[in-house]
């Protein structure tokens, strides 16, 4: 999931550098949405690990 966010971020940066505003905006929006989904899943997994009580460290 994070790799998709980074991929769309790179596409947005390249499109912005080449002057394709619509493509850059769309790619940046997709990257932002995927990043926040990844962040939410990360936080949920950390809370689940804390609730479980087992630590591997």
């Amino acid at each position: 999931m994070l790799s998709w966010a980074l991929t769309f971020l790179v596409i947005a940066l390249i499109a912005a550098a080449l002057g394709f505003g619509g493509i850059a905006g769309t790619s940046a929006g997709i990257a932002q949405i995927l990043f926040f989904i990844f962040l939410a899943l990360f936080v949920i997994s950390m809370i689940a690990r804390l609730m479980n009580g087992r630590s591997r460290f």
Side-chain angles (χ1 to χ4, degrees):
M1 182 81 60
L2 184 59
S3 64
W4 281 103
L6 292 174
T7 301
F8 279 107
L9 177 65
V10 169
I11 291 171
L13 291 174
I14 291 171
L18 295 176
F20 300 113
I23 296 171
T26 303
S27 296
I30 292 171
Q32 186 177 13
I33 290 169
L34 289 175
F35 174 76
F36 284 119
I37 290 172
F38 170 77
L39 188 63
L41 291 175
F42 176 73
V43 170
I44 290 170
S45 68
M46 287 291 122
I47 291 172
R49 179 176 280 253
L50 288 173
M51 297 301 249
N52 194 7
R54 292 188 297 179
S55 178
R56 295 179 189 242
F57 297 110

